[in-house]
PDB file of all heavy atoms in Angstrom:
ATOM      1  N   LEU A1290      20.823 131.244-128.978  1.00  0.00           N
ATOM      2  CA  LEU A1290      22.187 130.993-128.508  1.00  0.00           C
ATOM      3  C   LEU A1290      22.475 129.502-128.458  1.00  0.00           C
ATOM      4  O   LEU A1290      23.551 129.058-128.876  1.00  0.00           O
ATOM      5  CB  LEU A1290      22.387 131.622-127.128  1.00  0.00           C
ATOM      6  CG  LEU A1290      23.737 131.357-126.458  1.00  0.00           C
ATOM      7  CD1 LEU A1290      24.897 131.848-127.327  1.00  0.00           C
ATOM      8  CD2 LEU A1290      23.785 132.006-125.076  1.00  0.00           C
ATOM      9  N   GLY A1291      21.525 128.708-127.960  1.00  0.00           N
ATOM     10  CA  GLY A1291      21.733 127.264-127.933  1.00  0.00           C
ATOM     11  C   GLY A1291      21.958 126.702-129.318  1.00  0.00           C
ATOM     12  O   GLY A1291      22.840 125.850-129.533  1.00  0.00           O
ATOM     13  N   MET A1292      21.182 127.171-130.279  1.00  0.00           N
ATOM     14  CA  MET A1292      21.358 126.691-131.654  1.00  0.00           C
ATOM     15  C   MET A1292      22.674 127.156-132.248  1.00  0.00           C
ATOM     16  O   MET A1292      23.297 126.450-133.041  1.00  0.00           O
ATOM     17  CB  MET A1292      20.168 127.121-132.509  1.00  0.00           C
ATOM     18  CG  MET A1292      18.909 126.315-132.211  1.00  0.00           C
ATOM     19  SD  MET A1292      17.508 126.672-133.309  1.00  0.00           S
ATOM     20  CE  MET A1292      16.779 128.092-132.476  1.00  0.00           C
ATOM     21  N   LEU A1293      23.133 128.355-131.870  1.00  0.00           N
ATOM     22  CA  LEU A1293      24.440 128.835-132.331  1.00  0.00           C
ATOM     23  C   LEU A1293      25.554 127.946-131.793  1.00  0.00           C
ATOM     24  O   LEU A1293      26.459 127.538-132.544  1.00  0.00           O
ATOM     25  CB  LEU A1293      24.661 130.284-131.882  1.00  0.00           C
ATOM     26  CG  LEU A1293      26.064 130.859-132.118  1.00  0.00           C
ATOM     27  CD1 LEU A1293      26.428 130.853-133.598  1.00  0.00           C
ATOM     28  CD2 LEU A1293      26.167 132.275-131.550  1.00  0.00           C
ATOM     29  N   VAL A1294      25.497 127.623-130.517  1.00  0.00           N
ATOM     30  CA  VAL A1294      26.543 126.793-129.910  1.00  0.00           C
ATOM     31  C   VAL A1294      26.610 125.428-130.589  1.00  0.00           C
ATOM     32  O   VAL A1294      27.695 124.932-130.921  1.00  0.00           O
ATOM     33  CB  VAL A1294      26.289 126.648-128.396  1.00  0.00           C
ATOM     34  CG1 VAL A1294      27.192 125.565-127.797  1.00  0.00           C
ATOM     35  CG2 VAL A1294      26.518 127.977-127.685  1.00  0.00           C
ATOM     36  N   MET A1295      25.452 124.814-130.811  1.00  0.00           N
ATOM     37  CA  MET A1295      25.448 123.496-131.459  1.00  0.00           C
ATOM     38  C   MET A1295      25.853 123.589-132.921  1.00  0.00           C
ATOM     39  O   MET A1295      26.518 122.680-133.447  1.00  0.00           O
ATOM     40  CB  MET A1295      24.083 122.844-131.291  1.00  0.00           C
ATOM     41  CG  MET A1295      23.805 122.424-129.850  1.00  0.00           C
ATOM     42  SD  MET A1295      22.269 121.487-129.632  1.00  0.00           S
ATOM     43  CE  MET A1295      21.040 122.777-129.836  1.00  0.00           C
ATOM     44  N   ALA A1296      25.491 124.675-133.591  1.00  0.00           N
ATOM     45  CA  ALA A1296      25.913 124.869-134.976  1.00  0.00           C
ATOM     46  C   ALA A1296      27.434 124.955-135.078  1.00  0.00           C
ATOM     47  O   ALA A1296      28.041 124.375-135.991  1.00  0.00           O
ATOM     48  CB  ALA A1296      25.277 126.132-135.554  1.00  0.00           C
ATOM     49  N   LEU A1297      28.046 125.659-134.150  1.00  0.00           N
ATOM     50  CA  LEU A1297      29.502 125.771-134.174  1.00  0.00           C
ATOM     51  C   LEU A1297      30.163 124.411-133.964  1.00  0.00           C
ATOM     52  O   LEU A1297      31.181 124.101-134.607  1.00  0.00           O
ATOM     53  CB  LEU A1297      29.966 126.767-133.110  1.00  0.00           C
ATOM     54  CG  LEU A1297      29.690 128.239-133.441  1.00  0.00           C
ATOM     55  CD1 LEU A1297      29.891 129.112-132.208  1.00  0.00           C
ATOM     56  CD2 LEU A1297      30.581 128.718-134.577  1.00  0.00           C
ATOM     57  N   ALA A1298      29.592 123.597-133.098  1.00  0.00           N
ATOM     58  CA  ALA A1298      30.133 122.249-132.889  1.00  0.00           C
ATOM     59  C   ALA A1298      30.014 121.427-134.171  1.00  0.00           C
ATOM     60  O   ALA A1298      30.947 120.699-134.547  1.00  0.00           O
ATOM     61  CB  ALA A1298      29.397 121.566-131.738  1.00  0.00           C
ATOM     62  N   ASP A1299      28.885 121.521-134.847  1.00  0.00           N
ATOM     63  CA  ASP A1299      28.688 120.773-136.092  1.00  0.00           C
ATOM     64  C   ASP A1299      29.598 121.287-137.202  1.00  0.00           C
ATOM     65  O   ASP A1299      30.162 120.503-137.980  1.00  0.00           O
ATOM     66  CB  ASP A1299      27.230 120.876-136.537  1.00  0.00           C
ATOM     67  CG  ASP A1299      26.274 120.168-135.581  1.00  0.00           C
ATOM     68  OD1 ASP A1299      26.728 119.274-134.843  1.00  0.00           O
ATOM     69  OD2 ASP A1299      25.086 120.542-135.559  1.00  0.00           O
ATOM     70  N   LEU A1300      29.741 122.612-137.285  1.00  0.00           N
ATOM     71  CA  LEU A1300      30.548 123.188-138.357  1.00  0.00           C
ATOM     72  C   LEU A1300      32.034 122.900-138.171  1.00  0.00           C
ATOM     73  O   LEU A1300      32.774 122.815-139.157  1.00  0.00           O
ATOM     74  CB  LEU A1300      30.305 124.700-138.436  1.00  0.00           C
ATOM     75  CG  LEU A1300      28.958 125.097-139.050  1.00  0.00           C
ATOM     76  CD1 LEU A1300      28.690 126.582-138.837  1.00  0.00           C
ATOM     77  CD2 LEU A1300      28.900 124.766-140.534  1.00  0.00           C
ATOM     78  N   GLU A1301      32.475 122.756-136.946  1.00  0.00           N
ATOM     79  CA  GLU A1301      33.880 122.396-136.728  1.00  0.00           C
ATOM     80  C   GLU A1301      34.197 121.064-137.408  1.00  0.00           C
ATOM     81  O   GLU A1301      35.219 120.912-138.077  1.00  0.00           O
ATOM     82  CB  GLU A1301      34.183 122.320-135.232  1.00  0.00           C
ATOM     83  CG  GLU A1301      35.643 122.041-134.935  1.00  0.00           C
ATOM     84  CD  GLU A1301      35.976 122.114-133.460  1.00  0.00           C
ATOM     85  OE1 GLU A1301      35.109 122.497-132.655  1.00  0.00           O
ATOM     86  OE2 GLU A1301      37.126 121.778-133.115  1.00  0.00           O
ATOM     87  N   ASN A1302      33.305 120.100-137.262  1.00  0.00           N
ATOM     88  CA  ASN A1302      33.475 118.817-137.951  1.00  0.00           C
ATOM     89  C   ASN A1302      33.356 118.983-139.463  1.00  0.00           C
ATOM     90  O   ASN A1302      34.139 118.405-140.227  1.00  0.00           O
ATOM     91  CB  ASN A1302      32.416 117.825-137.453  1.00  0.00           C
ATOM     92  CG  ASN A1302      32.345 116.565-138.308  1.00  0.00           C
ATOM     93  OD1 ASN A1302      33.331 115.852-138.478  1.00  0.00           O
ATOM     94  ND2 ASN A1302      31.168 116.306-138.868  1.00  0.00           N
ATOM     95  N   LEU A1303      32.399 119.802-139.901  1.00  0.00           N
ATOM     96  CA  LEU A1303      32.152 119.935-141.336  1.00  0.00           C
ATOM     97  C   LEU A1303      33.288 120.648-142.059  1.00  0.00           C
ATOM     98  O   LEU A1303      33.621 120.297-143.195  1.00  0.00           O
ATOM     99  CB  LEU A1303      30.836 120.670-141.580  1.00  0.00           C
ATOM    100  CG  LEU A1303      29.589 119.789-141.515  1.00  0.00           C
ATOM    101  CD1 LEU A1303      28.337 120.635-141.611  1.00  0.00           C
ATOM    102  CD2 LEU A1303      29.611 118.740-142.623  1.00  0.00           C
ATOM    103  N   TYR A1304      33.883 121.656-141.436  1.00  0.00           N
ATOM    104  CA  TYR A1304      34.979 122.349-142.113  1.00  0.00           C
ATOM    105  C   TYR A1304      36.208 121.461-142.233  1.00  0.00           C
ATOM    106  O   TYR A1304      36.911 121.492-143.250  1.00  0.00           O
ATOM    107  CB  TYR A1304      35.288 123.681-141.417  1.00  0.00           C
ATOM    108  CG  TYR A1304      34.475 124.808-142.005  1.00  0.00           C
ATOM    109  CD1 TYR A1304      33.167 125.038-141.601  1.00  0.00           C
ATOM    110  CD2 TYR A1304      34.991 125.600-143.019  1.00  0.00           C
ATOM    111  CE1 TYR A1304      32.404 126.046-142.166  1.00  0.00           C
ATOM    112  CE2 TYR A1304      34.244 126.608-143.599  1.00  0.00           C
ATOM    113  CZ  TYR A1304      32.947 126.825-143.172  1.00  0.00           C
ATOM    114  OH  TYR A1304      32.196 127.816-143.755  1.00  0.00           O
ATOM    115  N   LYS A1305      36.473 120.645-141.225  1.00  0.00           N
ATOM    116  CA  LYS A1305      37.555 119.673-141.369  1.00  0.00           C
ATOM    117  C   LYS A1305      37.212 118.657-142.463  1.00  0.00           C
ATOM    118  O   LYS A1305      38.063 118.294-143.284  1.00  0.00           O
ATOM    119  CB  LYS A1305      37.793 118.955-140.046  1.00  0.00           C
ATOM    120  CG  LYS A1305      38.407 119.811-138.957  1.00  0.00           C
ATOM    121  CD  LYS A1305      38.584 119.015-137.666  1.00  0.00           C
ATOM    122  CE  LYS A1305      39.133 119.893-136.554  1.00  0.00           C
ATOM    123  NZ  LYS A1305      39.286 119.131-135.288  1.00  0.00           N
ATOM    124  N   SER A1306      35.971 118.206-142.466  1.00  0.00           N
ATOM    125  CA  SER A1306      35.539 117.235-143.477  1.00  0.00           C
ATOM    126  C   SER A1306      35.653 117.813-144.878  1.00  0.00           C
ATOM    127  O   SER A1306      36.068 117.127-145.825  1.00  0.00           O
ATOM    128  CB  SER A1306      34.092 116.803-143.204  1.00  0.00           C
ATOM    129  OG  SER A1306      33.970 116.158-141.946  1.00  0.00           O
ATOM    130  N   ALA A1307      35.280 119.091-145.022  1.00  0.00           N
ATOM    131  CA  ALA A1307      35.347 119.739-146.338  1.00  0.00           C
ATOM    132  C   ALA A1307      36.791 119.907-146.805  1.00  0.00           C
ATOM    133  O   ALA A1307      37.074 119.811-148.009  1.00  0.00           O
ATOM    134  CB  ALA A1307      34.642 121.090-146.291  1.00  0.00           C
ATOM    135  N   ASP A1308      37.706 120.158-145.890  1.00  0.00           N
ATOM    136  CA  ASP A1308      39.126 120.201-146.272  1.00  0.00           C
ATOM    137  C   ASP A1308      39.577 118.844-146.801  1.00  0.00           C
ATOM    138  O   ASP A1308      40.332 118.752-147.779  1.00  0.00           O
ATOM    139  CB  ASP A1308      39.990 120.594-145.066  1.00  0.00           C
ATOM    140  CG  ASP A1308      39.851 122.053-144.671  1.00  0.00           C
ATOM    141  OD1 ASP A1308      39.388 122.853-145.499  1.00  0.00           O
ATOM    142  OD2 ASP A1308      40.208 122.388-143.519  1.00  0.00           O
ATOM    143  N   ILE A1309      39.110 117.785-146.168  1.00  0.00           N
ATOM    144  CA  ILE A1309      39.488 116.432-146.597  1.00  0.00           C
ATOM    145  C   ILE A1309      38.928 116.137-147.980  1.00  0.00           C
ATOM    146  O   ILE A1309      39.651 115.657-148.878  1.00  0.00           O
ATOM    147  CB  ILE A1309      38.997 115.386-145.574  1.00  0.00           C
ATOM    148  CG1 ILE A1309      39.703 115.579-144.229  1.00  0.00           C
ATOM    149  CG2 ILE A1309      39.240 113.973-146.101  1.00  0.00           C
ATOM    150  CD1 ILE A1309      39.071 114.793-143.087  1.00  0.00           C
ATOM    151  N   THR A1310      37.629 116.421-148.181  1.00  0.00           N
ATOM    152  CA  THR A1310      37.042 116.103-149.487  1.00  0.00           C
ATOM    153  C   THR A1310      37.629 116.978-150.589  1.00  0.00           C
ATOM    154  O   THR A1310      37.773 116.526-151.729  1.00  0.00           O
ATOM    155  CB  THR A1310      35.509 116.231-149.460  1.00  0.00           C
ATOM    156  OG1 THR A1310      35.127 117.552-149.065  1.00  0.00           O
ATOM    157  CG2 THR A1310      34.893 115.217-148.506  1.00  0.00           C
ATOM    158  N   ALA A1311      37.981 118.219-150.267  1.00  0.00           N
ATOM    159  CA  ALA A1311      38.636 119.071-151.266  1.00  0.00           C
ATOM    160  C   ALA A1311      39.983 118.482-151.665  1.00  0.00           C
ATOM    161  O   ALA A1311      40.358 118.485-152.852  1.00  0.00           O
ATOM    162  CB  ALA A1311      38.818 120.480-150.715  1.00  0.00           C
ATOM    163  N   ALA A1312      40.716 117.962-150.682  1.00  0.00           N
ATOM    164  CA  ALA A1312      42.008 117.327-150.983  1.00  0.00           C
ATOM    165  C   ALA A1312      41.811 116.076-151.831  1.00  0.00           C
ATOM    166  O   ALA A1312      42.561 115.833-152.793  1.00  0.00           O
ATOM    167  CB  ALA A1312      42.723 116.985-149.679  1.00  0.00           C
ATOM    168  N   LEU A1313      40.788 115.284-151.517  1.00  0.00           N
ATOM    169  CA  LEU A1313      40.512 114.079-152.301  1.00  0.00           C
ATOM    170  C   LEU A1313      40.136 114.436-153.735  1.00  0.00           C
ATOM    171  O   LEU A1313      40.555 113.754-154.685  1.00  0.00           O
ATOM    172  CB  LEU A1313      39.396 113.278-151.641  1.00  0.00           C
ATOM    173  CG  LEU A1313      39.680 112.687-150.261  1.00  0.00           C
ATOM    174  CD1 LEU A1313      38.415 112.034-149.697  1.00  0.00           C
ATOM    175  CD2 LEU A1313      40.824 111.677-150.304  1.00  0.00           C
ATOM    176  N   SER A1314      39.345 115.494-153.893  1.00  0.00           N
ATOM    177  CA  SER A1314      38.982 115.929-155.249  1.00  0.00           C
ATOM    178  C   SER A1314      40.206 116.411-156.017  1.00  0.00           C
ATOM    179  O   SER A1314      40.367 116.107-157.206  1.00  0.00           O
ATOM    180  CB  SER A1314      37.925 117.036-155.186  1.00  0.00           C
ATOM    181  OG  SER A1314      36.691 116.536-154.740  1.00  0.00           O
ATOM    182  N   LEU A1315      41.056 117.181-155.360  1.00  0.00           N
ATOM    183  CA  LEU A1315      42.294 117.629-156.010  1.00  0.00           C
ATOM    184  C   LEU A1315      43.098 116.424-156.489  1.00  0.00           C
ATOM    185  O   LEU A1315      43.619 116.406-157.617  1.00  0.00           O
ATOM    186  CB  LEU A1315      43.108 118.478-155.035  1.00  0.00           C
ATOM    187  CG  LEU A1315      44.398 119.126-155.556  1.00  0.00           C
ATOM    188  CD1 LEU A1315      44.709 120.411-154.777  1.00  0.00           C
ATOM    189  CD2 LEU A1315      45.600 118.193-155.460  1.00  0.00           C
ATOM    190  N   GLU A1316      43.172 115.420-155.651  1.00  0.00           N
ATOM    191  CA  GLU A1316      43.939 114.221-155.989  1.00  0.00           C
ATOM    192  C   GLU A1316      43.298 113.486-157.167  1.00  0.00           C
ATOM    193  O   GLU A1316      43.990 113.074-158.111  1.00  0.00           O
ATOM    194  CB  GLU A1316      44.007 113.321-154.760  1.00  0.00           C
ATOM    195  CG  GLU A1316      45.065 112.244-154.827  1.00  0.00           C
ATOM    196  CD  GLU A1316      45.238 111.524-153.498  1.00  0.00           C
ATOM    197  OE1 GLU A1316      44.328 111.594-152.645  1.00  0.00           O
ATOM    198  OE2 GLU A1316      46.275 110.869-153.333  1.00  0.00           O
ATOM    199  N   ALA A1317      41.976 113.332-157.118  1.00  0.00           N
ATOM    200  CA  ALA A1317      41.281 112.626-158.203  1.00  0.00           C
ATOM    201  C   ALA A1317      41.400 113.367-159.526  1.00  0.00           C
ATOM    202  O   ALA A1317      41.380 112.742-160.597  1.00  0.00           O
ATOM    203  CB  ALA A1317      39.811 112.442-157.836  1.00  0.00           C
ATOM    204  N   LEU A1318      41.532 114.705-159.453  1.00  0.00           N
ATOM    205  CA  LEU A1318      41.654 115.517-160.665  1.00  0.00           C
ATOM    206  C   LEU A1318      43.109 115.710-161.100  1.00  0.00           C
ATOM    207  O   LEU A1318      43.385 116.475-162.031  1.00  0.00           O
ATOM    208  CB  LEU A1318      41.000 116.885-160.430  1.00  0.00           C
ATOM    209  CG  LEU A1318      39.474 116.867-160.308  1.00  0.00           C
ATOM    210  CD1 LEU A1318      38.954 118.191-159.741  1.00  0.00           C
ATOM    211  CD2 LEU A1318      38.825 116.590-161.670  1.00  0.00           C
ATOM    212  N   LEU A1319      44.027 115.006-160.419  1.00  0.00           N
ATOM    213  CA  LEU A1319      45.461 115.121-160.732  1.00  0.00           C
ATOM    214  C   LEU A1319      45.947 116.557-160.606  1.00  0.00           C
ATOM    215  O   LEU A1319      46.813 117.011-161.362  1.00  0.00           O
ATOM    216  CB  LEU A1319      45.750 114.583-162.144  1.00  0.00           C
ATOM    217  CG  LEU A1319      45.295 113.157-162.452  1.00  0.00           C
ATOM    218  CD1 LEU A1319      45.647 112.792-163.895  1.00  0.00           C
ATOM    219  CD2 LEU A1319      45.911 112.157-161.482  1.00  0.00           C
ATOM    220  N   GLY A1320      45.380 117.266-159.641  1.00  0.00           N
ATOM    221  CA  GLY A1320      45.765 118.659-159.440  1.00  0.00           C
ATOM    222  C   GLY A1320      47.105 118.784-158.753  1.00  0.00           C
ATOM    223  O   GLY A1320      47.734 117.791-158.364  1.00  0.00           O
ATOM    224  N   THR A1321      47.546 120.008-158.596  1.00  0.00           N
ATOM    225  CA  THR A1321      48.838 120.253-157.945  1.00  0.00           C
ATOM    226  C   THR A1321      48.650 120.720-156.510  1.00  0.00           C
ATOM    227  O   THR A1321      47.787 121.567-156.226  1.00  0.00           O
ATOM    228  CB  THR A1321      49.676 121.284-158.719  1.00  0.00           C
ATOM    229  OG1 THR A1321      50.885 121.522-157.995  1.00  0.00           O
ATOM    230  CG2 THR A1321      48.938 122.598-158.894  1.00  0.00           C
ATOM    231  N   GLU A1322      49.442 120.156-155.625  1.00  0.00           N
ATOM    232  CA  GLU A1322      49.406 120.548-154.217  1.00  0.00           C
ATOM    233  C   GLU A1322      50.324 121.734-153.927  1.00  0.00           C
ATOM    234  O   GLU A1322      50.369 122.231-152.795  1.00  0.00           O
ATOM    235  CB  GLU A1322      49.795 119.351-153.330  1.00  0.00           C
ATOM    236  CG  GLU A1322      51.276 119.080-153.182  1.00  0.00           C
ATOM    237  CD  GLU A1322      51.899 118.392-154.399  1.00  0.00           C
ATOM    238  OE1 GLU A1322      51.245 118.322-155.467  1.00  0.00           O
ATOM    239  OE2 GLU A1322      53.049 117.933-154.287  1.00  0.00           O
ATOM    240  N   LYS A1323      51.037 122.223-154.967  1.00  0.00           N
ATOM    241  CA  LYS A1323      51.984 123.318-154.733  1.00  0.00           C
ATOM    242  C   LYS A1323      51.294 124.580-154.230  1.00  0.00           C
ATOM    243  O   LYS A1323      51.888 125.384-153.516  1.00  0.00           O
ATOM    244  CB  LYS A1323      52.762 123.612-156.015  1.00  0.00           C
ATOM    245  CG  LYS A1323      53.726 122.498-156.400  1.00  0.00           C
ATOM    246  CD  LYS A1323      54.513 122.855-157.657  1.00  0.00           C
ATOM    247  CE  LYS A1323      55.506 121.748-157.993  1.00  0.00           C
ATOM    248  NZ  LYS A1323      56.285 122.081-159.231  1.00  0.00           N
ATOM    249  N   VAL A1324      50.014 124.755-154.595  1.00  0.00           N
ATOM    250  CA  VAL A1324      49.286 125.956-154.145  1.00  0.00           C
ATOM    251  C   VAL A1324      48.992 125.921-152.664  1.00  0.00           C
ATOM    252  O   VAL A1324      48.523 126.920-152.091  1.00  0.00           O
ATOM    253  CB  VAL A1324      47.964 126.112-154.923  1.00  0.00           C
ATOM    254  CG1 VAL A1324      48.221 126.357-156.388  1.00  0.00           C
ATOM    255  CG2 VAL A1324      47.053 124.908-154.721  1.00  0.00           C
ATOM    256  N   LEU A1325      49.255 124.801-152.015  1.00  0.00           N
ATOM    257  CA  LEU A1325      48.984 124.667-150.580  1.00  0.00           C
ATOM    258  C   LEU A1325      50.214 124.953-149.729  1.00  0.00           C
ATOM    259  O   LEU A1325      50.148 124.874-148.497  1.00  0.00           O
ATOM    260  CB  LEU A1325      48.488 123.245-150.290  1.00  0.00           C
ATOM    261  CG  LEU A1325      47.256 122.787-151.083  1.00  0.00           C
ATOM    262  CD1 LEU A1325      46.978 121.313-150.824  1.00  0.00           C
ATOM    263  CD2 LEU A1325      46.038 123.637-150.740  1.00  0.00           C
ATOM    264  N   ALA A1326      51.317 125.299-150.354  1.00  0.00           N
ATOM    265  CA  ALA A1326      52.570 125.522-149.620  1.00  0.00           C
ATOM    266  C   ALA A1326      52.394 126.596-148.545  1.00  0.00           C
ATOM    267  O   ALA A1326      51.820 127.655-148.806  1.00  0.00           O
ATOM    268  CB  ALA A1326      53.675 125.933-150.586  1.00  0.00           C
ATOM    269  N   PRO A1327      52.869 126.347-147.338  1.00  0.00           N
ATOM    270  CA  PRO A1327      52.654 127.302-146.245  1.00  0.00           C
ATOM    271  C   PRO A1327      53.216 128.691-146.523  1.00  0.00           C
ATOM    272  O   PRO A1327      52.653 129.691-146.080  1.00  0.00           O
ATOM    273  CB  PRO A1327      53.347 126.643-145.046  1.00  0.00           C
ATOM    274  CG  PRO A1327      54.118 125.488-145.575  1.00  0.00           C
ATOM    275  CD  PRO A1327      53.536 125.127-146.889  1.00  0.00           C
ATOM    276  N   GLU A1328      54.312 128.768-147.276  1.00  0.00           N
ATOM    277  CA  GLU A1328      54.897 130.089-147.549  1.00  0.00           C
ATOM    278  C   GLU A1328      53.966 130.957-148.408  1.00  0.00           C
ATOM    279  O   GLU A1328      54.010 132.193-148.333  1.00  0.00           O
ATOM    280  CB  GLU A1328      56.272 129.956-148.197  1.00  0.00           C
ATOM    281  CG  GLU A1328      56.308 129.192-149.520  1.00  0.00           C
ATOM    282  CD  GLU A1328      56.549 127.701-149.352  1.00  0.00           C
ATOM    283  OE1 GLU A1328      56.238 127.162-148.264  1.00  0.00           O
ATOM    284  OE2 GLU A1328      57.058 127.082-150.319  1.00  0.00           O
ATOM    285  N   LEU A1329      53.125 130.315-149.229  1.00  0.00           N
ATOM    286  CA  LEU A1329      52.168 131.079-150.032  1.00  0.00           C
ATOM    287  C   LEU A1329      51.056 131.659-149.156  1.00  0.00           C
ATOM    288  O   LEU A1329      50.586 132.775-149.390  1.00  0.00           O
ATOM    289  CB  LEU A1329      51.558 130.197-151.120  1.00  0.00           C
ATOM    290  CG  LEU A1329      52.514 129.717-152.220  1.00  0.00           C
ATOM    291  CD1 LEU A1329      51.787 128.777-153.168  1.00  0.00           C
ATOM    292  CD2 LEU A1329      53.078 130.914-152.990  1.00  0.00           C
TER     293      LEU A1329
END
Side-chain angles (χ1 to χ4, degrees):
L1290 176 58
M1292 286 186 275
L1293 172 60
V1294 168
M1295 290 186 287
L1297 287 167
D1299 293 338
L1300 286 169
E1301 184 174 354
N1302 169 58
L1303 277 174
Y1304 270 83
K1305 290 179 183 179
S1306 298
D1308 288 341
I1309 295 168
T1310 58
L1313 295 175
S1314 291
L1315 184 152
E1316 196 171 19
L1318 290 166
L1319 305 179
T1321 177
E1322 81 283 12
K1323 291 182 178 180
V1324 295
L1325 304 173
E1328 59 269 24
L1329 293 176

